[in-house]
Structure formats: structure tokens, C-alpha cells
Amino acid sequence: MGPVTGVLVLAGTPIGDVADAPPRLLTELATADVIAAEDTRRLRRLTQALGVTPVGRVLSYFEGNEVGRTPELVEALLGGARVLLVTDAGMPSVSDPGYRLVAAAVAADIKVTAVPGPSAVLTALALSGLPVDRFTFEGFLPRKTGDRARQLASVATEPRTMVFFEAPHRIAEALTAMAGAFGDDRPAAVCRELTKTYEEVKRGPLGELAAWAAEGVRGEITVVVAGAPPAAPKELTPAELARLVAVREEAGERRKEAIAAVAEAVGLPKREVFDAVVAAKNAERAQAPAKP
């Protein structure tokens, strides 16, 4: 029988209202051998609000030290420790520290589990009023203007609803850039302070939202943007319609059936396709050399 390894627990924390904390989070906070927290001070405030007293060792685990601290946590896991990973809000590794530790734990064949909790991404999607059957999470946009423009251009034709995180001091600039890349009329929603006292969801076209944000927006912000509309079908000329019918006729279809099939394929009335065929035939006759 091999050595007994520990368990890495990824726990979702409230994104605003502390009352949203799942019951399992309280149990894990009270019993974990090690708690790796993005901000130990915020963790302390959370445990106090929840009435929980951790018994395990508390370590900081944030962007600046996660590379160096990951091996230490993996060593604890290999030694049998139950390690709880929490971030300031929401699920670890979703635009927050955690990915490196999860990857390292998986590589070391350590069990990884999760305590599901509040999610700014899903909450904003549900409140946006935009289609949510398919969506993509884009995280934070680059801070530099050129990099941001290139990233937005790369998703300008994305058909799925898109979710972005943004800082309050950059939201007006980001919305203006989105309006430039996606169009002023693209529907969107700016969700701020979700589940908190001053929660607000501002919905409208990107151009209007950019103008609204220019006056200043505070709080934690999630932006939901509708996907690109389907590309308009190419308008076929009468000659092109007639050629499509001719191809089917050459393949053995009767003209009536060929016209009906082309009309259905391009989304036009059969009469319009028929008129195109007649016009093409008349043009052929007009161009034919006169008989001596």
C-alpha cells in the first residue's frame, strides 16, 4: 500500500454578501491543516464574520509568491495534509491564483476537490438578460491600449456571449474600446457590486454604456457582452441565381424542382428565383447573333 497523500480543496468564497458562504466552506475553514489564502487579512475578516476559528496553518498565496510557494504546498499535500485554497472572492484559479497549484497537485497524483460557491461570472450572466446557452469567459483585458485592441479584435466575430472582468478606473476606457471593436449597438450589461448593498446592473448598447461610465463607476465590475450576430447572407445577383438553377438542371433536375431547391437554399421566394432564370434566358437571347 502506497503512502497516503492529502487533499487539495478549492473553495469558493462570497463575492459580496457573506451570507452566501456555503456551509461546507465553514467546515473546511475550521478543519483544514493548511489554508492558502490570496489575502490573509481578508481571510481573517471572513472567518470572523462567519464565526469560524481555523486550527490549521494560514499561508499567503497570491500572484507574487505562488510560483515559489506551490512546491511548499505540494510537499504538505504529499505529507497527508488537507490544504484549503481560497481567494478574495469566487472560485480559485478563475482570474485568481490557483492554476499552478492545481496543475502541480494533479501532476503529483494528489486528489483535488472543490467546495462550489458564488461566481461573479455566472451571477452576471444570469442577470444580464443576454443569451446564456453558450458563453465564453475572457477575464481581464490587457491594460495597454494596443494589446487591448488586438484582443478585442480577435473576438469581434465571437458568436457566444462574452464575460469580462474590469477594474473601475479602466471601465470607461474598456467599454469605449469594446464599442469600437464590436460596434456601438452591440447589447451589453455592466454588473457591479454583485450581491452587495449597492448592486447595480446597467444594460444597453455598448455606446450608451461607454458614455454612462465616463462619469465614473465604482466597485467590482463584470461586463457581459452579446455575441456577434450571424453574418448576413450574401446577396446573389439574378445571374448567380440563374446559374445555380442551371447547375441543378445539368445534373438532371427538372427546372421547376431546381428553382424550388435553390429558393429554399438561399432563403428567397420561388418567384424571385424564377424571374432570375427568365431574365437570364432573355439576356442570352438578346446577346445571341441574329440569324441570317
Side-chain angles (χ1 to χ4, degrees):
M1 190 173 179
V4 178
T5 58
V7 178
L8 173 60
V9 182
L10 311 177
T13 53
I15 59 175
D17 193 334
V18 176
D20 292 334
R24 277 183 59 204
L25 174 61
L26 279 66
T27 301
E28 294 291 349
L29 286 169
T31 60
D33 300 305
V34 179
I35 302 177
E38 184 178 8
D39 186 328
T40 57
R41 292 168 299 181
R42 293 189 67 163
L43 172 66
R44 189 178 305 112
R45 290 197 293 270
L46 176 63
T47 55
Q48 289 174 347
L50 295 175
V52 176
T53 302
V55 296
R57 185 163 52 113
V58 176
L59 300 175
S60 64
Y61 188 77
F62 59 99
E63 185 179 0
N65 74 352
E66 62 177 323
V67 173
R69 182 139 282 176
T70 294
E72 178 183 347
L73 293 172
V74 171
E75 184 179 353
L77 287 161
L78 290 172
R82 190 173 186 86
V83 176
L84 177 66
L85 178 62
V86 294
T87 57
D88 292 346
M91 282 298 294
S93 82
V94 181
S95 280
D96 276 325
Y99 166 75
R100 287 186 176 88
L101 181 55
V102 172
V106 170
D109 201 25
I110 295 167
K111 179 181 179 181
V112 181
T113 188
V115 176
S119 166
V121 174
L122 297 180
T123 303
L125 272 168
L127 295 177
S128 70
L130 298 172
V132 297
D133 52 334
R134 300 177 69 218
F135 67 90
T136 174
F137 175 57
E138 298 296 326
F140 284 95
L141 289 170
R143 297 183 181 184
K144 293 184 178 178
T145 302
D147 293 340
R148 180 174 56 223
R150 280 187 287 274
Q151 183 165 326
L152 289 174
S154 72
V155 295
T157 58
E158 168 60 61
R160 295 169 294 183
T161 298
M162 296 170 283
V163 183
F164 300 85
F165 285 163
E166 194 49 270
H169 61 281
R170 290 197 299 268
I171 185 60
E173 189 176 353
L175 288 170
T176 299
M178 288 179 185
F182 305 151
D184 286 342
D185 295 333
R186 181 79 70 90
V190 177
C191 308
R192 69 177 197 90
E193 295 293 87
L194 291 172
T195 77
K196 299 179 183 177
T197 302
Y198 298 104
E199 175 182 284
E200 179 182 19
V201 179
K202 188 75 173 179
R203 305 174 183 87
L206 279 170
E208 292 182 10
L209 292 175
W212 163 76
E215 300 177 5
V217 181
R218 296 181 179 181
E220 301 288 336
I221 297 170
T222 304
V223 181
V224 185
V225 181
K234 177 186 175 184
E235 287 192 20
L236 298 176
T237 65
E240 289 172 325
L241 290 172
R243 180 56 190 159
L244 291 175
V245 173
V247 169
R248 286 181 171 272
E249 285 188 273
E250 291 168 4
E253 285 189 22
R254 295 173 57 188
R255 180 170 295 176
K256 182 177 181 181
E257 283 74 21
I259 289 174
V262 170
E264 183 178 0
V266 300
L268 290 174
K270 286 186 287 186
R271 183 69 194 183
E272 188 170 336
V273 179
F274 173 79
D275 290 345
V277 172
V278 171
K281 293 298 181 183
N282 291 337
E284 288 178 10
R285 294 192 188 97
Q287 293 173 0
K291 293 182 180 181

